[in-house]
């Protein structure tokens, strides 16, 4: 493994018609690193993900992915380059089966997007790849169940599955355990640490247990700026962070 | 969604094909004409439903492509002496494809209601051009079309003869409809469905949803153009009617009355519309009023169309199996 | 010089009609998010009702008042018993419904009044001409423009100075928010829909003597009204005023400058707006 950076966030600013949500955000994520972003509600974490993944452009600053400036690339191009994201609010294909949900990404990764002759459901390889993903997220027994009929925890797992489906090199996970029970959260941590064994991951979380278990490095986003950035132990002891965030969280 | 193999129904294929082949001997000429016409409109409606039912794109301008196809076929056949019919059809379809590209590039910049509005406006533009461009379209007089005989080696078919025209239609239009059905299972067809379901997620999975929509718009336009070409050849005549808003209304009524939620719905609608029009127009000149009322009643009370009604009736029958893969939302 | 003045005045008259039709269309769209394909049919019905009223009463002024009232009633019925029913089914069904209504009204008019164009005559001062700065000009066209200006001002007065008007504007800006204002939203929708229908009908009555009355009149103004709201911005009343003016003038001068392509001018304008500013001159980004 090279220690080269996969993602570089350089001086990102974002404002929504006057409301400045991100003031100046800088950090670098190494290949194969698990990087956590924490911060209070409304700190701008999801906005940061939207900028990185290309949902909307930053007001200023640059996003470098695998060393290339992708700031002006559209979301679908970033996805094709190997960046995938999940959503805080489950954002899957509700009417489709679990298999079809992951198949969408699997075939996109294989370049089978607009083909007028080939039928994805008749391609054994695609089906096998999709089933492999369902197995990784523990939904192999729910292959043909419409997403909307799955339990909440399973839908969150499928959210992760869809994110993994285009075989990304970097995944951005936006509160993957939001709304889960303790048991479900335990499972989710297991699952995430398994699937990120050899890919980079940026994860937004509120659950400190999840963050300190999973993350190699943590940065604290506080109203638009990075307050601190470092290994879990450094963050735990950081006085600024304690004052601004951890303190209120533990009370 | 998953392909189902039903070996029990395999015998139905040869039987159905035999029935189709035998139809000219079974039906009187007038009835055969109706079947031919309804078949042509089936392609028109099926192509329309790929937009409306599959992609959720409501267009009020499908007749512009139907009309371009019709006029293009007529002009090619008339201006190139003895041009093979299939070449003429190919050229007309190519021209419709081009029209679809230009219109699509412009109109697909907006979505939803503004898109619906613009399709109607552009249909009106195409109509106005056809009226004004007298030298090409014949204006209010229209154009007569006399296509040449198609030779398949031993067999030759004369589009001017009822049974021959029927065979040509069943062959070409039948294949096109079959392609549409196949299309819904292809990567492209599935992508269109998924984009309608969750466009944002599709973008984050690497799909350029704008390109997908444009491709679909062009493809469905080209298919409507092919139907239009056949319509011109079938009538040996093409008038402004082919490119009018009425022609758009027609496909809308057919598709919706038949049902947008299933592939077969628009085909049912095309046959229903053709036969009911034929029946009603003998009784009253105001048959469109009846058709329109039926349409409104269906929008209000049976938004699934005829095929939706049949489905919900079937579901209520004792012993009805699973709900099936209903895409209605 | 005087030629130009005449065509300018012609353009103003048509702009007046367009504004009366498109203002209702754009307000209803802004509030209810429904593009009413039947809106121009109200214009056509207004003209036909006036035609029949003129036959019965012989009085144009009476027709000018009663016909829009009839359309207001029709608008209420359509909103209350048809549109509101399909609202739950979503956008596509609402559009399909209004399209179906337009189709039925079109066919119904052909059935009742026949397909051939019918002249509608005005008498008295309206049939006169006036001399204006050296040109003689028909009073009637000026009358049309005056009617639209008066109604435009009235609309502005209601929208900006009354409680109900302020609510309507709030609803156009943010249709999700009205529910929170503690007012009867369905009734507000019905009211705006009905007033829009009446305005459209009024435009139809005034258009009758100018353009004659025929079943295709709905379709022709519908397209122009669509262009107005695309160019002006969907949901924007100010945009409707400006775009009506531009298109009225383009229409009028187009006919003399490029008789074959007058329509193309309008479409070129629309295409230009779509490419440069798809949300329209005064529209908000989606
Ligand atoms: N598209 C937008 N337009 C305007 N304001 C926005 C937009 N998206 C986010 N905001 C604002 O930006 C701020 C940060 O929102 P964001 O969703 O990024 O926070 P977050 O850190 O993800 O919070 P949470 O922990 O609740 O998910 C909020 O005040 C929000 O209202
Ligand atoms: Mg968030």
């Amino acid at each position: 493994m090279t220690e080269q950076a996969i993602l570089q966030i350089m001086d990102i600013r974002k404002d929504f018609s006057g409301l400045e949500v991100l003031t100046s955000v800088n950090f670098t994520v190494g290949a194969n690193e698990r990087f956590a972003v924490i911060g209070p509600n409304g700190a701008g974490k999801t906005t940061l993900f939207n900028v990185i993944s290309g949902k909307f452009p930053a007001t200023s600053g640059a996003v470098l992915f695998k060393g290339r400036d992708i700031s002006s690339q559209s979301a679908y191009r970033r996805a094709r380059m190997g960046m995938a994201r999940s959503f805080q609010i489950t954002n899957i294909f509700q009417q489709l089966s679990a298999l079809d949900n992951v198949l969408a990404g699997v075939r996109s990764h294989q370049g089978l997007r607009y083909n007028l002759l080939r039928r994805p459901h008749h391609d054994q390889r695609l089906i096998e790849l999709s089933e492999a993903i369902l197995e990784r997220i523990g939904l192999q027994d729910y292959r043909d169940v419409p997403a909307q009929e799955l339990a909440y925890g399973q839908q969150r797992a499928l959210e992760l599955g869809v994110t993994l489906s285009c075989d990304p090199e970097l995944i951005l996970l936006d509160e993957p355990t939001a709304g889960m029970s303790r048991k479900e959260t335990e499972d989710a941590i297991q699952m995430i640490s398994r699937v990120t064994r050899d890919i980079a991951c940026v994860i937004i979380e509120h659950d400190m247990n999840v963050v300190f278990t999973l993350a190699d490095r943590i940065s604290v986003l506080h109203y638009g700026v990075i307050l601190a950035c470092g290994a879990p132990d450094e963050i735990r002891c950081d006085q600024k962070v304690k004052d601004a965030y951890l303190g209120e969280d533990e009370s | 969604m998953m392909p189902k193999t039903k070996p029990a129904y395999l015998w139905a294929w040869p039987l159905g094909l035999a029935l189709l082949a035998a139809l000219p001997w079974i039906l009187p000429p007038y009835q055969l004409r109706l079947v031919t016409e309804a078949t042509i409109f089936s392609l028109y409606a099926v192509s329309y439903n790929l937009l409306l039912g599959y992609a959720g794109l409501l267009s009020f301008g499908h007749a512009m492509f139907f009309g371009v196809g019709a006029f293009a076929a007529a002009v090619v056949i008339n201006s190139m002496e003895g041009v093979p019919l299939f070449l003429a059809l190919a050229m007309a379809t190519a021209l419709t494809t081009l029209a679809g590209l230009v219109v699509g590039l412009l109109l697909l910049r907006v979505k939803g209601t503004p898109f619906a509005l613009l399709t109607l406006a552009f249909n009106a533009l195409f109509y106005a051009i056809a009226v004004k461009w007298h030298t090409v379209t014949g204006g209010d007089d229209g154009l007569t079309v006399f296509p040449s005989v198609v030779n398949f080696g031993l067999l030759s078919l004369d589009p001017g003869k009822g049974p021959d025209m029927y065979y040509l239609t069943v062959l070409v239009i039948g294949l096109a409809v079959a392609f549409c059905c196949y299309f819904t299972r292809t990567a492209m067809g599935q992508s269109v469905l998924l984009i309608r379901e969750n466009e944002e997620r599709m973008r984050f999975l690497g799909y350029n949803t704008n390109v997908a929509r444009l491709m679909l718009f062009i493809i469905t336009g080209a298919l409507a153009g092919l139907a239009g070409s056949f319509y011109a050849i079938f009538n040996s005549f093409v008038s402004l009617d082919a490119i009018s808003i009425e022609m758009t209304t027609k496909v809308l009524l057919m598709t919706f009355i038949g049902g947008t939620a299933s592939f077969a719905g628009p085909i049912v609608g095309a046959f229903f519309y053709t036969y009911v029009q034929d029946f009603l127009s003998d009784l009253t000149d105001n048959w469109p009023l009846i058709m329109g009322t039926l349409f409104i009643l269906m929008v209000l009370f049976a938004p699934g169309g005829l095929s939706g009604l049949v489905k919900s009736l079937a579901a209520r029958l004792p012993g009805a199996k699973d709900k099936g893969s209903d895409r209605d939302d | 010089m005087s030629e130009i003045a005449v065509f300018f005045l012609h353009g103003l008259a048509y702009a007046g009609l367009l504004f009366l039709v498109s203002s209702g269309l754009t307000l209803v769209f802004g509030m209810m998010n429904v593009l009413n394909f039947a809106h121009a049919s109200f214009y056509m019905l207004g003209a036909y009702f006036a035609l029949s009223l003129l036959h019965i009463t012989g009085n144009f002024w009476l027709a000018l008042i009663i016909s829009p009232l009839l359309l207001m009633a029709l608008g209420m019925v359509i909103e209350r018993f048809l549109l509101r029913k399909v609202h739950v089914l979503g956008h596509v069904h609402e559009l399909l419904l209004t399209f179906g209504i337009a189709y039925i009204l079109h066919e119904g008019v052909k059935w009742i009044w026949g397909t051939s164009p019918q002249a509608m005559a005005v008498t008295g001062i309206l049939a006169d001409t006036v001399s204006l700065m050296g040109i003689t000009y028909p009073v009637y066209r000026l009358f049309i423009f005056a009617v639209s200006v008066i109604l435009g001002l009235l609309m502005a007065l209601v929208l900006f100075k009354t409680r109900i008007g302020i609510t309507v504007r709030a609803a156009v800006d943010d249709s999700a928010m009205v529910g929170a204002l503690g007012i009867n939203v369905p009734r507000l929708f019905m009211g705006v829909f009905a007033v829009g229908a009446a305005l459209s009908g009024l435009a139809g009555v005034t258009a009758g003597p100018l353009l004659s009355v025929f079943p295709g009149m709905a379709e022709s103004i519908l397209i122009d009204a669509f262009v107005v709201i695309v160019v002006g911005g969907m949901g924007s009343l100010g945009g409707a005023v400006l775009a009506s003016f531009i298109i009225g003038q383009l229409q009028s001068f187009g006919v003399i400058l490029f008789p074959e392509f007058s329509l193309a001018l309008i479409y070129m304008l629309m295409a230009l707006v779509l490419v440069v500013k798809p949300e329209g001159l005064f529209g908000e980004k989606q």
Side-chain angles (χ1 to χ4, degrees):
Chain A
M1 284 295 141
T2 57
E3 275 309 306
Q4 194 203 351
I6 189 159
L7 181 72
Q8 286 161 271
I9 303 301
M10 298 163 84
D11 201 19
I12 288 290
R13 191 169 75 85
K14 176 73 195 173
D15 55 27
F16 295 107
S17 45
L19 174 70
E20 187 166 81
V21 175
L22 300 176
T23 309
S24 170
V25 178
N26 290 282
F27 61 81
T28 298
V29 181
N32 223 348
E33 189 178 27
R34 290 195 201 103
F35 188 90
V37 177
I38 61 174
N41 287 108
K45 304 181 296 295
T46 299
T47 304
L48 178 64
F49 266 25
N50 286 338
V51 167
I52 299 175
S53 63
K55 180 169 177 174
F56 40 65
T59 309
S60 66
V63 179
L64 270 64
F65 181 54
K66 296 194 282 188
R68 277 178 56 191
D69 186 351
I70 56 164
S71 309
S72 56
Q73 302 274 25
S74 49
Y76 73 87
R77 286 204 180 280
R78 300 184 195 202
R80 287 182 198 174
M81 288 174 70
M83 178 192 288
R85 69 169 289 183
S86 76
F87 291 81
Q88 188 171 356
I89 297 161
T90 309
N91 192 6
I92 52 184
F93 304 96
Q94 291 288 349
Q95 316 235 3
L96 302 187
S97 69
L99 183 88
D100 282 332
N101 265 276
V102 291
L103 182 60
V106 167
R107 67 188 173 89
S108 172
H109 183 64
Q110 304 291 329
L112 199 62
R113 300 185 191 98
Y114 321 118
N115 194 300
L116 287 173
L117 295 174
R118 282 173 57 193
R119 293 171 295 179
H121 287 103
H122 288 249
D123 190 324
Q124 206 46 45
R125 209 169 79 83
L126 293 181
I127 299 294
E128 277 163 16
L129 283 169
S130 306
E131 283 170 344
I133 287 183
L134 289 184
E135 213 160 309
R136 280 166 83 187
I137 56 170
L139 288 183
Q140 64 275 26
D141 296 339
Y142 299 85
R143 195 193 120 121
D144 296 322
V145 179
Q148 59 191 358
E149 287 169 25
L150 294 174
Y152 177 76
Q154 293 171 326
Q155 290 198 14
R156 290 305 293 172
L158 189 54
E159 173 75 44
L160 179 64
V162 174
T163 306
L164 292 172
S165 65
C166 30
D167 198 15
E169 292 163 59
L170 166 72
I171 55 176
L172 311 168
L173 302 178
D174 196 347
E175 301 197 26
T177 68
M180 283 187 173
S181 67
R182 164 129 345 131
K183 169 80 177 64
E184 285 171 332
T185 305
E186 292 298 324
D187 292 348
I189 294 177
Q190 290 290 317
M191 197 187 300
I192 292 167
S193 72
R194 232 183 307 125
V195 301
T196 55
R197 199 163 296 153
D198 40 32
I199 62 178
C201 167
V202 181
I203 181 170
I204 293 175
E205 256 303 344
H206 275 304
D207 189 325
M208 285 309 131
N209 180 29
V210 178
V211 173
F212 289 117
T213 320
L214 277 177
D216 301 321
R217 253 172 352 120
I218 299 172
S219 80
V220 183
L221 186 66
H222 193 71
Y223 298 103
V225 290
I226 300 280
L227 207 60
C229 188
D233 288 336
E234 297 172 44
I235 294 296
R236 224 191 295 258
C237 308
D238 191 299
Q239 194 53 44
K240 272 191 298 184
V241 176
K242 270 187 192 160
D243 294 345
Y245 184 52
L246 290 180
E248 65 192 62
D249 202 66
E250 275 157 15
S251 64
Chain B
M1 193 117 310
M2 283 303 294
K4 291 177 196 114
T5 41
K6 298 179 214 161
Y9 294 121
L10 272 181
W11 53 267
W13 278 102
L15 205 71
L17 286 177
L19 184 70
L20 280 179
L23 223 48
W25 283 282
I26 301 171
L27 291 179
Y30 181 73
Q31 290 296 324
L32 192 67
R33 266 190 76 79
L34 276 185
V35 172
T36 311
E37 187 177 357
T39 307
I40 294 172
F41 281 129
S42 294
L43 176 62
Y44 186 34
V46 162
S47 70
Y48 184 70
N49 197 42
L50 289 183
L51 277 182
L52 177 59
Y54 284 81
L57 279 174
L58 178 57
S59 160
F60 290 104
H62 213 47
M64 55 187 153
F65 302 122
F66 188 83
V68 166
F71 278 108
V75 169
V76 169
I77 288 169
N78 287 346
S79 60
M80 298 169 67
E81 190 77 32
V83 59
L85 184 68
F86 284 149
L87 180 63
L89 287 174
M91 288 170 72
T93 308
L95 196 75
T96 331
T97 308
L98 192 69
L101 175 69
V102 174
V103 174
L105 275 177
L106 204 56
L107 297 198
L108 288 167
R109 300 175 62 84
V110 293
K111 284 186 198 136
T113 304
F115 172 77
L117 176 163
L118 285 171
T119 51
L120 185 77
F122 271 75
N123 202 147
L125 175 68
F126 272 56
Y127 183 77
I129 292 174
V131 173
K132 286 262 152 75
W133 208 359
H134 202 278
T135 45
V136 171
T137 64
D140 285 323
D141 302 329
L143 297 171
T144 29
V145 195
F146 293 111
S148 53
V149 175
V150 184
N151 271 308
F152 293 106
L154 293 176
L155 186 73
S156 67
L157 293 171
D158 177 3
K161 294 198 188 111
D164 288 12
M165 184 65 207
Y166 164 80
Y167 284 128
L168 270 176
T169 307
V170 167
L171 183 72
V172 179
I173 301 289
L175 278 178
V177 170
F179 166 75
C180 291
C181 186
Y182 184 83
F183 172 85
T184 61
R185 314 254 158 130
T186 60
M188 177 68 193
Q190 292 282 304
S191 297
V192 162
L193 261 180
L194 268 76
I195 288 171
R196 174 220 180 121
E197 168 104 13
N198 189 343
E199 179 169 357
E200 179 180 52
R201 194 71 202 231
M202 283 299 268
R203 261 190 262 123
F204 285 113
L205 289 177
Y207 292 82
N208 184 344
T209 55
N210 292 332
V211 161
R213 245 194 305 268
L214 179 64
M215 279 176 68
L216 179 76
F217 191 74
I218 294 172
I219 291 168
T220 56
L223 289 165
L226 182 64
S229 304
F230 261 81
Y231 185 67
I233 293 162
F234 168 70
N235 286 315
S236 313
F237 181 72
V238 49
S239 70
L240 291 174
D241 160 66
I243 202 165
S244 64
I245 307 253
E246 280 75 45
M247 194 52 88
T248 285
T249 312
K250 196 169 186 158
V251 77
L252 196 75
L253 297 199
M254 283 175 177
T255 308
F256 197 82
I257 290 175
T260 57
S262 67
F263 183 81
I267 302 176
V268 173
F271 274 83
F272 180 86
Y273 188 99
T274 309
Y275 275 89
V276 169
Q277 173 184 349
D278 180 62
F279 173 71
L280 287 178
S281 56
D282 282 346
L283 303 178
T284 164
D285 282 342
N286 296 303
W287 63 267
L289 207 53
I290 301 175
M291 207 72 92
T293 311
L294 180 66
F295 172 72
I296 298 248
L297 287 175
M298 298 205 93
V299 173
L300 285 172
F301 302 111
L306 285 177
S307 53
L309 277 179
V310 171
K311 251 189 217 163
S312 64
L313 281 183
R316 271 183 221 161
L317 289 178
K321 286 184 296 182
D322 65 327
K323 307 181 287 282
S325 58
D326 211 343
R327 287 180 301 97
D328 212 351
D329 51 8
Chain C
M1 190 62 220
S2 67
E3 282 267 285
I4 293 180
V6 165
F7 280 103
F8 180 73
L9 290 175
H10 278 23
L12 281 188
Y14 190 61
L17 288 180
L18 265 183
F19 171 71
L20 286 181
V21 175
S22 53
S23 55
L25 194 62
T26 209
L27 275 186
V28 166
F29 179 79
M31 262 177 89
M32 305 164 69
N33 235 322
V34 177
L35 182 72
N36 181 12
F37 280 89
H39 197 74
S41 310
F42 299 152
Y43 164 87
M44 170 188 70
L45 273 184
Y48 274 105
F49 285 168
L51 194 69
S52 292
L53 286 165
L54 207 56
H55 272 302
I56 300 166
T57 65
N59 186 332
F60 177 74
W61 300 101
L62 213 59
L64 189 67
I65 292 166
I66 296 180
S67 179
L69 289 179
L70 291 174
L71 279 151
M72 184 180 266
L74 181 69
M76 280 188 192
V77 170
I78 286 177
E79 201 284 333
R80 175 71 185 77
F81 294 105
L82 299 177
L83 206 49
R84 208 177 290 182
K85 278 227 157 60
V86 296
H87 182 70
V88 286
L89 296 174
H91 239 62
V92 167
H93 281 85
E94 286 174 328
L95 287 177
L96 287 174
L97 179 77
T98 65
F99 194 80
I101 293 171
Y103 181 63
I104 286 194
L105 292 180
H106 182 74
E107 295 299 332
V109 159
K110 285 205 289 199
W111 179 41
I112 298 173
W113 283 283
T115 49
S116 46
Q118 305 190 40
M120 192 166 143
V122 283
T123 50
I125 178 159
L126 288 180
D128 277 345
T129 53
V130 284
S131 291
L132 271 175
M133 298 178 290
I135 47 173
T136 4
Y137 197 75
V139 170
Y140 194 74
R141 285 182 194 259
L142 298 177
F143 168 73
I144 293 180
F145 184 63
V147 168
S148 69
V149 169
I150 292 170
L151 279 158
L153 290 176
L154 217 58
M155 238 188 288
L157 201 70
V158 171
L159 283 176
F160 287 90
K161 293 289 175 208
T162 65
R163 241 186 86 79
I164 188 112
I166 289 163
T167 325
V168 169
R169 279 195 300 134
V172 170
D173 285 344
D174 185 358
S175 22
M177 205 192 70
V178 245
L181 291 177
I183 48 157
N184 189 334
V185 179
R187 200 180 300 165
L188 185 72
F189 280 5
M190 187 167 79
V192 170
F193 194 88
V195 170
L199 283 174
S200 191
L202 182 81
V205 183
T206 53
L210 183 69
L211 306 169
S212 85
V213 186
F214 57 102
M217 63 191 290
E219 198 179 300
S220 64
I221 200 144
L222 181 67
I223 304 296
D224 283 355
F226 278 179
V227 177
V228 165
I229 64 173
V230 168
V231 170
M234 297 185 75
S236 158
L237 209 56
V241 174
L242 180 67
S244 296
F245 175 77
I246 296 174
I247 284 151
Q249 294 305 334
L250 267 186
Q251 180 84 289
S252 176
F253 283 98
V255 172
I256 35 167
L257 296 178
F258 316 94
E260 286 295 302
F261 305 102
S262 60
L263 189 78
L265 274 183
I266 291 177
Y267 276 91
M268 270 150 60
L269 172 72
M270 184 162 81
L272 188 74
V273 169
L274 274 181
V275 171
V276 179
K277 206 164 182 284
E279 69 277 12
L281 296 178
F282 285 42
E284 279 170 32
K285 271 217 164 72
Q286 296 165 339

